[in-house]
Amino acid sequence: GSTVYNAVKGGKPNTGRLLADALGVDEAGLKKIVDAANAAPDSIVDGSKLTLGQALQQQGANIPEAKMLERIVAGGPGGDKLLKQYQDQATARMTALQGQGAETYMGAAREEATKQGDKIGAVLRTQAGDDKAAARAAWEAVHGRAAQDGVSLQLPLQDMEAAMGPLGRGSVVPAKDARNVLQVAKDIGTEELPAVVPLKAGPVSKSQSLEQAVRAAGGIRGGSGELRDLGIKQSGTTGLINNKTGREADLLAEEMHRRGFIPDADPATLFDALRNGGGRKLYANDQVESNALQRMAEAAMGDAPEAERIAKAVPFAEFQRLRRDSGSLAAKAGERAGGETEAGVLAKIQELLTRRADDAANGMGMEGDNVTPEFLAQYNRARGMTKANAERYKGGNNITSILRKPVGQEYTLNGDEIANKLWHGGAGLAGDVTNLKQVLSGDNFEPTMNALRKLVLTDAASKTTASGNLGSALPRYVESRMPGLQEALTPEQLNALTSVAGDIRNSEAAAAVNGLRGSDTQAKISRALDAGLLDSPLAKAASRLGSVKGIGIEPLRNKMAEAVIGYKGRTLAQLLADPKAAAAALQDQGFTHGLDAKTLKALEFASGLVSRGAAPALASP
């Protein structure tokens, strides 16, 4: 009995030896454990202090005995220290996510998806509405400038007619809308020049004859003999010859030609027309048959031109209406069964009109266009805004789904639906997040991304076990959604989330002892943790035979055995919970700890009883 007491109280068992014996590895194995424990960080996540097994796992030191020892100690007497540390680790992981914005209350993932989805949807719709209104205002300014400057553009009629090819001969599609568009384009984009017809005989309007016109002009100045030779008699009543107030023959001939009495301005032609009173019968609009000179002039010009249609520029407002209606009709035709061909033709016509306007804005005008620099500047500004909006809110992605009513629905997507559009487990996750980032304007970017990040982190924090702690589902979640996480989260948030996932992976790997269950390693460690000789068959048999004043020794033996096992468990748990302390204990054989007060008290009592000779001596563990 005194040997037991002195060995326990006076000798102070060596904890490094206790740990080494429990591990049961050779010197090389012990060195590997010491090196890895000293090299390992205190934690992967702040507050989640690593145990010895986790530290070894983090360093890639595969020590099966260390895994099994920690598992056995944590589940046995005195293992409360390790169990508390595991819980502290779970708390620290959740705290790390909370620190980055995750909500962890009951049902948080669903509620935050709804709340943050509604917030994102509201921002997108408001922004899209503002952008659309700004573009509309810019186009209104364009139309105002076009009206002010009288801007007009030629229509691409030949290209539009070529676009009708799919509806040509052999097509049975009615295509009423497409044909109407082309007809309207021809009506407003061309004008007809009427045919030139020869003068026809008609009633003579004798408002003034040539002779009367000459007299009214002051008469002809010239020699009387010259005029008489031409058959013109000088008379005071006719007033044809007037050397006082009359005009020179060449000037008078020009005027009579200009007024249409004679076919040219030659004075001889004038005299010939006036000869022998002929001027009294000649009128400016006399019928062709009575005017040989006019008939000859018309014949010299050849055949009269026939009627023809020529292109003309149309006012910009009309051009825009034609372009707008072509697009609207194309959309409607596309929704009708069998309307695909007509829709394609109408869309092509709209494209041609758009290209025509853009070409004019880029300096590639057509003959007949009328554009001003001021109009072009405003047009290009409005066109730039429209293109930017089209690119920003382009179709074929989930942003379009959020902004528009789904087919067959009278409402836009709600918060849950928006959250699922932007954050899901599909292959296009990263692309959807990227689209959202590209759509958002400067003022809207951070508030919207913060809403998405809160949604994402809360969703991640919901991957818990039945106990409420983060489990293996979180690392799988992070791995499967890593491309999206990289797009959505800030570097700090991503680091926190991946650290938590890595900490969980590491702790799970450190606790994986499935292949060791029932093995020699487990049996050897279990033997190292028992009460030694106190649990031997000899000690048990002796204790059953002895008694002290009628009190059996067996309860005393059990108490002593439990005390030894509990001491070993608590001592090893302390070391396993602190990798650096474990490494120091294994390195320094003089590094010792005494038994705790509770264990010493029990052993002192038991040893005292035994020392008084009440029972067979019980050997020290």
Side-chain angles (χ1 to χ4, degrees):
S2 61
T3 302
V4 172
Y5 181 84
N6 291 331
V8 172
K9 185 176 180 180
K12 293 184 179 179
N14 187 300
T15 56
R17 175 55 56 192
L18 178 62
L19 177 58
D21 290 343
L23 288 169
V25 297
D26 56 21
E27 290 185 8
L30 288 176
K31 184 177 185 306
K32 185 176 181 181
I33 291 173
V34 169
D35 291 343
N38 284 326
D42 289 339
S43 62
I44 297 174
V45 174
D46 288 344
S48 179
K49 183 175 173 57
L50 297 175
T51 65
L52 178 61
Q54 294 166 356
L56 298 179
Q57 182 67 38
Q58 194 275 336
Q59 289 293 304
N62 185 23
I63 310 292
E65 294 85 354
K67 291 183 178 183
M68 178 57 73
L69 175 61
E70 185 171 316
R71 186 67 173 266
I72 293 174
V73 170
D80 294 345
K81 172 68 175 178
L82 282 173
L83 296 179
K84 183 179 183 304
Q85 187 158 334
Y86 295 153
Q87 185 56 50
D88 290 344
Q89 291 175 346
T91 301
R93 292 165 190 153
M94 192 66 79
T95 299
L97 296 186
Q98 291 172 335
Q100 297 299 328
E103 296 290 348
T104 57
Y105 59 85
M106 184 68 68
R110 180 62 182 273
E111 290 186 16
E112 289 300 319
T114 301
K115 183 190 303 183
Q116 304 306 329
D118 282 335
K119 185 182 296 185
I120 294 171
V123 170
L124 288 175
R125 290 169 187 139
T126 299
Q127 178 182 295
D130 291 344
D131 288 345
K132 186 176 181 180
R136 187 184 303 113
W139 280 113
E140 290 174 356
V142 169
H143 283 277
R145 173 58 68 175
Q148 178 181 336
D149 296 352
V151 173
S152 58
L153 297 172
Q154 293 276 8
L155 295 174
L157 290 172
Q158 291 185 348
D159 292 337
M160 292 172 70
E161 289 182 345
M164 295 289 290
L167 300 174
R169 185 171 180 176
S171 173
V172 296
V173 178
K176 179 180 178 181
D177 290 335
R179 301 184 197 282
N180 284 343
V181 167
L182 182 60
Q183 186 57 51
V184 169
K186 290 180 177 179
D187 290 343
I188 66 175
T190 62
E191 63 180 345
E192 183 174 300
L193 296 180
V196 177
V197 297
L199 291 176
K200 297 181 180 179
V204 177
S205 174
K206 299 180 180 181
S207 58
Q208 191 179 42
S209 67
L210 175 61
E211 185 177 300
Q212 291 171 331
V214 171
R215 284 201 310 271
I220 303 173
R221 179 183 301 220
S224 59
E226 176 187 359
L227 298 176
R228 280 197 299 271
D229 291 342
L230 296 175
I232 301 175
K233 297 179 180 181
Q234 185 173 0
S235 171
T237 57
T238 61
L240 288 176
I241 302 173
N242 189 335
N243 288 325
K244 293 182 178 181
T245 61
R247 298 171 64 184
E248 297 294 338
D250 56 347
L251 297 177
L252 194 59
E254 288 182 4
E255 181 178 345
M256 295 303 110
H257 170 62
R258 178 178 56 78
R259 294 178 60 183
F261 284 102
I262 56 178
D264 57 55
D266 190 343
T269 303
L270 175 62
F271 292 151
D272 185 56
L274 292 172
R275 181 179 290 116
N276 297 323
R280 300 172 189 172
K281 301 177 181 178
L282 188 61
Y283 297 87
N285 59 347
D286 199 0
Q287 54 187 332
V288 175
E289 287 78 6
S290 65
N291 192 332
L293 293 175
Q294 185 174 355
R295 187 167 61 250
M296 291 172 60
E298 287 189 351
M301 291 188 292
D303 297 334
E306 297 181 354
E308 65 173 327
R309 295 196 69 86
I310 61 172
K312 69 172 183 178
V314 302
F316 183 73
E318 296 180 14
F319 186 99
Q320 286 291 83
R321 292 189 200 108
L322 187 64
R323 175 166 63 168
R324 177 201 63 200
D325 291 351
S326 297
S328 299
L329 291 173
K332 292 181 180 179
E335 295 174 357
R336 296 196 301 263
E340 297 84 0
T341 301
E342 184 179 13
V345 170
L346 287 166
K348 181 62 176 179
I349 289 175
Q350 184 190 36
E351 178 188 342
L352 291 170
L353 292 170
T354 300
R355 188 186 307 161
R356 172 78 265 274
D358 290 349
D359 285 348
N362 291 327
M364 295 182 288
M366 292 176 62
E367 184 177 356
D369 287 348
N370 178 38
V371 294
T372 63
E374 295 78 11
F375 166 80
L376 293 180
Q378 288 196 338
Y379 179 88
N380 284 322
R381 186 180 305 114
R383 179 178 62 169
M385 293 177 68
T386 299
K387 286 186 174 181
N389 287 348
E391 177 64 23
R392 175 173 285 179
Y393 304 109
K394 61 186 177 182
N397 59 50
N398 286 337
I399 303 302
T400 305
S401 302
I402 294 172
L403 294 174
R404 296 179 182 174
K405 295 179 181 179
V407 177
Q409 291 186 186
E410 293 300 323
Y411 57 88
T412 53
L413 300 181
N414 59 35
D416 285 339
E417 293 169 322
I418 292 172
N420 189 54
K421 287 289 184 181
L422 296 174
W423 191 250
H424 51 80
L429 174 60
D432 289 331
V433 177
T434 300
N435 287 338
L436 175 64
K437 293 167 68 175
Q438 292 175 343
V439 163
L440 296 172
S441 61
D443 293 339
N444 291 330
F445 186 88
E446 281 304 321
T448 307
M449 289 306 298
N450 285 339
L452 178 64
R453 291 161 185 159
K454 192 173 190 66
L455 182 157
V456 170
L457 289 168
T458 300
D459 190 34
S462 70
K463 309 307 175 186
T464 58
T465 62
S467 64
N469 295 327
L470 294 169
S472 58
L474 178 64
R476 292 196 298 269
Y477 177 89
V478 171
E479 181 179 355
S480 65
R481 303 200 181 193
M482 180 54 71
L485 293 169
Q486 291 172 329
E487 284 293 326
L489 301 183
T490 66
E492 294 78 10
Q493 290 171 333
L494 184 61
N495 179 65
L497 184 57
T498 54
S499 294
V500 170
D503 195 31
I504 293 173
R505 288 275 196 205
N506 186 71
S507 65
E508 288 180 338
V513 295
N514 293 336
L516 299 177
R517 294 181 185 276
S519 65
D520 291 341
T521 299
Q522 180 178 4
K524 182 174 65 174
I525 293 173
S526 297
R527 287 194 299 270
L529 295 181
D530 64 18
L533 293 178
L534 285 174
D535 272 336
S536 68
L538 177 61
K540 290 180 180 180
S543 65
R544 284 195 294 269
L545 296 175
S547 65
V548 178
K549 296 181 181 180
I551 300 175
I553 300 300
E554 177 60 13
L556 174 61
R557 187 201 63 78
N558 285 336
K559 188 67 176 179
M560 293 177 65
E562 290 174 3
V564 171
I565 293 173
Y567 166 74
K568 286 185 175 181
R570 285 187 294 275
T571 302
L572 291 174
Q574 290 283 348
L575 293 174
L576 293 174
D578 189 345
K580 298 296 189 293
L586 292 175
Q587 284 180 293
D588 184 3
Q589 294 301 320
F591 183 79
T592 61
H593 286 296
L595 294 178
D596 58 271
K598 181 179 178 182
T599 304
L600 285 174
K601 185 175 181 180
L603 290 180
E604 286 173 0
F605 172 75
S607 299
L609 292 178
V610 175
S611 67
R612 289 194 291 270
L618 303 178
S620 171

mmCIF file of all heavy atoms in Angstrom, residues 71-92:
data_model
loop_
_atom_site.group_PDB
_atom_site.id
_atom_site.type_symbol
_atom_site.label_atom_id
_atom_site.label_comp_id
_atom_site.label_asym_id
_atom_site.label_seq_id
_atom_site.Cartn_x
_atom_site.Cartn_y
_atom_site.Cartn_z
ATOM 1 N N ARG A 71 -9.899 9.925 -30.397
ATOM 2 C CA ARG A 71 -11.284 9.470 -30.464
ATOM 3 C C ARG A 71 -11.669 8.755 -29.171
ATOM 4 O O ARG A 71 -12.747 8.982 -28.610
ATOM 5 C CB ARG A 71 -11.462 8.546 -31.678
ATOM 6 C CG ARG A 71 -12.884 8.109 -31.939
ATOM 7 C CD ARG A 71 -13.735 9.303 -32.359
ATOM 8 N NE ARG A 71 -15.057 8.858 -32.772
ATOM 9 C CZ ARG A 71 -15.385 8.592 -34.041
ATOM 10 N NH1 ARG A 71 -14.478 8.733 -35.002
ATOM 11 N NH2 ARG A 71 -16.594 8.204 -34.344
ATOM 12 N N ILE A 72 -10.764 7.874 -28.678
ATOM 13 C CA ILE A 72 -11.059 7.107 -27.467
ATOM 14 C C ILE A 72 -11.094 8.017 -26.243
ATOM 15 O O ILE A 72 -11.993 7.932 -25.404
ATOM 16 C CB ILE A 72 -10.022 5.983 -27.282
ATOM 17 C CG1 ILE A 72 -10.176 4.943 -28.398
ATOM 18 C CG2 ILE A 72 -10.165 5.334 -25.918
ATOM 19 C CD1 ILE A 72 -9.108 3.861 -28.382
ATOM 20 N N VAL A 73 -10.114 8.930 -26.124
ATOM 21 C CA VAL A 73 -10.060 9.815 -24.963
ATOM 22 C C VAL A 73 -11.282 10.729 -24.938
ATOM 23 O O VAL A 73 -11.879 10.952 -23.878
ATOM 24 C CB VAL A 73 -8.761 10.648 -24.987
ATOM 25 C CG1 VAL A 73 -8.800 11.742 -23.917
ATOM 26 C CG2 VAL A 73 -7.560 9.739 -24.768
ATOM 27 N N ALA A 74 -11.665 11.286 -26.103
ATOM 28 C CA ALA A 74 -12.813 12.201 -26.152
ATOM 29 C C ALA A 74 -14.086 11.498 -25.726
ATOM 30 O O ALA A 74 -14.976 12.115 -25.116
ATOM 31 C CB ALA A 74 -12.964 12.769 -27.551
ATOM 32 N N GLY A 75 -14.201 10.200 -25.998
ATOM 33 C CA GLY A 75 -15.414 9.472 -25.662
ATOM 34 C C GLY A 75 -15.371 8.761 -24.335
ATOM 35 O O GLY A 75 -16.330 8.083 -23.957
ATOM 36 N N GLY A 76 -14.244 8.879 -23.612
ATOM 37 C CA GLY A 76 -14.097 8.152 -22.361
ATOM 38 C C GLY A 76 -14.062 9.070 -21.155
ATOM 39 O O GLY A 76 -14.262 10.289 -21.265
ATOM 40 N N PRO A 77 -13.792 8.501 -19.975
ATOM 41 C CA PRO A 77 -13.704 9.288 -18.745
ATOM 42 C C PRO A 77 -12.618 10.359 -18.850
ATOM 43 O O PRO A 77 -11.516 10.088 -19.350
ATOM 44 C CB PRO A 77 -13.351 8.249 -17.676
ATOM 45 C CG PRO A 77 -13.802 6.946 -18.245
ATOM 46 C CD PRO A 77 -13.583 7.053 -19.722
ATOM 47 N N GLY A 78 -12.928 11.566 -18.442
ATOM 48 C CA GLY A 78 -11.960 12.652 -18.476
ATOM 49 C C GLY A 78 -11.849 13.343 -19.817
ATOM 50 O O GLY A 78 -11.029 14.243 -19.985
ATOM 51 N N GLY A 79 -12.671 12.968 -20.801
ATOM 52 C CA GLY A 79 -12.556 13.556 -22.143
ATOM 53 C C GLY A 79 -13.345 14.840 -22.336
ATOM 54 O O GLY A 79 -13.455 15.340 -23.465
ATOM 55 N N ASP A 80 -13.883 15.408 -21.257
ATOM 56 C CA ASP A 80 -14.713 16.611 -21.385
ATOM 57 C C ASP A 80 -13.960 17.772 -22.012
ATOM 58 O O ASP A 80 -14.544 18.591 -22.717
ATOM 59 C CB ASP A 80 -15.244 17.029 -20.011
ATOM 60 C CG ASP A 80 -16.221 16.006 -19.437
ATOM 61 O OD1 ASP A 80 -16.687 15.158 -20.219
ATOM 62 O OD2 ASP A 80 -16.513 16.055 -18.226
ATOM 63 N N LYS A 81 -12.681 17.875 -21.740
ATOM 64 C CA LYS A 81 -11.881 18.966 -22.302
ATOM 65 C C LYS A 81 -11.924 18.946 -23.819
ATOM 66 O O LYS A 81 -12.099 19.988 -24.476
ATOM 67 C CB LYS A 81 -10.439 18.830 -21.803
ATOM 68 C CG LYS A 81 -9.450 19.786 -22.447
ATOM 69 C CD LYS A 81 -9.712 21.212 -22.056
ATOM 70 C CE LYS A 81 -8.638 22.139 -22.621
ATOM 71 N NZ LYS A 81 -8.887 23.560 -22.304
ATOM 72 N N LEU A 82 -11.752 17.761 -24.403
ATOM 73 C CA LEU A 82 -11.804 17.650 -25.860
ATOM 74 C C LEU A 82 -13.204 17.931 -26.394
ATOM 75 O O LEU A 82 -13.380 18.620 -27.409
ATOM 76 C CB LEU A 82 -11.339 16.256 -26.295
ATOM 77 C CG LEU A 82 -9.836 16.011 -26.302
ATOM 78 C CD1 LEU A 82 -9.547 14.546 -26.589
ATOM 79 C CD2 LEU A 82 -9.139 16.901 -27.328
ATOM 80 N N LEU A 83 -14.221 17.398 -25.710
ATOM 81 C CA LEU A 83 -15.593 17.620 -26.174
ATOM 82 C C LEU A 83 -15.939 19.102 -26.179
ATOM 83 O O LEU A 83 -16.585 19.610 -27.094
ATOM 84 C CB LEU A 83 -16.577 16.849 -25.292
ATOM 85 C CG LEU A 83 -16.454 15.324 -25.332
ATOM 86 C CD1 LEU A 83 -17.465 14.693 -24.387
ATOM 87 C CD2 LEU A 83 -16.649 14.795 -26.748
ATOM 88 N N LYS A 84 -15.498 19.816 -25.146
ATOM 89 C CA LYS A 84 -15.745 21.256 -25.091
ATOM 90 C C LYS A 84 -14.997 21.975 -26.200
ATOM 91 O O LYS A 84 -15.497 22.929 -26.808
ATOM 92 C CB LYS A 84 -15.329 21.820 -23.739
ATOM 93 C CG LYS A 84 -15.635 23.310 -23.578
ATOM 94 C CD LYS A 84 -15.241 23.820 -22.225
ATOM 95 C CE LYS A 84 -15.625 25.290 -22.064
ATOM 96 N NZ LYS A 84 -15.051 26.153 -23.112
ATOM 97 N N GLN A 85 -13.785 21.495 -26.471
ATOM 98 C CA GLN A 85 -13.014 22.138 -27.536
ATOM 99 C C GLN A 85 -13.690 21.928 -28.892
ATOM 100 O O GLN A 85 -13.703 22.834 -29.719
ATOM 101 C CB GLN A 85 -11.586 21.591 -27.568
ATOM 102 C CG GLN A 85 -10.679 22.339 -28.536
ATOM 103 C CD GLN A 85 -9.220 22.168 -28.173
ATOM 104 O OE1 GLN A 85 -8.877 21.924 -27.024
ATOM 105 N NE2 GLN A 85 -8.350 22.314 -29.159
ATOM 106 N N TYR A 86 -14.249 20.757 -29.109
ATOM 107 C CA TYR A 86 -14.974 20.515 -30.357
ATOM 108 C C TYR A 86 -16.157 21.483 -30.484
ATOM 109 O O TYR A 86 -16.432 22.021 -31.555
ATOM 110 C CB TYR A 86 -15.481 19.071 -30.421
ATOM 111 C CG TYR A 86 -14.401 18.035 -30.472
ATOM 112 C CD1 TYR A 86 -14.624 16.746 -29.981
ATOM 113 C CD2 TYR A 86 -13.143 18.305 -31.004
ATOM 114 C CE1 TYR A 86 -13.639 15.772 -30.020
ATOM 115 C CE2 TYR A 86 -12.148 17.344 -31.048
ATOM 116 C CZ TYR A 86 -12.405 16.078 -30.548
ATOM 117 O OH TYR A 86 -11.428 15.126 -30.589
ATOM 118 N N GLN A 87 -16.860 21.694 -29.381
ATOM 119 C CA GLN A 87 -17.996 22.605 -29.417
ATOM 120 C C GLN A 87 -17.526 24.041 -29.623
ATOM 121 O O GLN A 87 -18.165 24.816 -30.348
ATOM 122 C CB GLN A 87 -18.809 22.504 -28.127
ATOM 123 C CG GLN A 87 -20.094 23.341 -28.138
ATOM 124 C CD GLN A 87 -20.994 23.009 -29.314
ATOM 125 O OE1 GLN A 87 -21.286 21.845 -29.580
ATOM 126 N NE2 GLN A 87 -21.408 24.036 -30.042
ATOM 127 N N ASP A 88 -16.415 24.397 -28.997
ATOM 128 C CA ASP A 88 -15.864 25.736 -29.203
ATOM 129 C C ASP A 88 -15.479 25.947 -30.666
ATOM 130 O O ASP A 88 -15.637 27.058 -31.221
ATOM 131 C CB ASP A 88 -14.639 25.952 -28.313
ATOM 132 C CG ASP A 88 -15.010 26.064 -26.840
ATOM 133 O OD1 ASP A 88 -16.207 26.281 -26.544
ATOM 134 O OD2 ASP A 88 -14.096 25.917 -25.995
ATOM 135 N N GLN A 89 -14.964 24.883 -31.278
ATOM 136 C CA GLN A 89 -14.619 24.975 -32.700
ATOM 137 C C GLN A 89 -15.867 25.231 -33.540
ATOM 138 O O GLN A 89 -15.865 26.082 -34.440
ATOM 139 C CB GLN A 89 -13.939 23.686 -33.159
ATOM 140 C CG GLN A 89 -12.548 23.475 -32.585
ATOM 141 C CD GLN A 89 -11.968 22.127 -32.962
ATOM 142 O OE1 GLN A 89 -12.691 21.231 -33.429
ATOM 143 N NE2 GLN A 89 -10.668 21.953 -32.740
ATOM 144 N N ALA A 90 -16.937 24.498 -33.244
ATOM 145 C CA ALA A 90 -18.190 24.681 -33.989
ATOM 146 C C ALA A 90 -18.710 26.105 -33.821
ATOM 147 O O ALA A 90 -19.173 26.739 -34.792
ATOM 148 C CB ALA A 90 -19.233 23.668 -33.518
ATOM 149 N N THR A 91 -18.637 26.624 -32.604
ATOM 150 C CA THR A 91 -19.089 27.995 -32.343
ATOM 151 C C THR A 91 -18.231 29.001 -33.095
ATOM 152 O O THR A 91 -18.753 29.972 -33.675
ATOM 153 C CB THR A 91 -19.041 28.283 -30.834
ATOM 154 O OG1 THR A 91 -19.874 27.344 -30.149
ATOM 155 C CG2 THR A 91 -19.514 29.697 -30.543
ATOM 156 N N ALA A 92 -16.924 28.793 -33.105
ATOM 157 C CA ALA A 92 -16.017 29.716 -33.782
ATOM 158 C C ALA A 92 -16.280 29.739 -35.291
ATOM 159 O O ALA A 92 -16.201 30.799 -35.923
ATOM 160 C CB ALA A 92 -14.570 29.323 -33.501
#
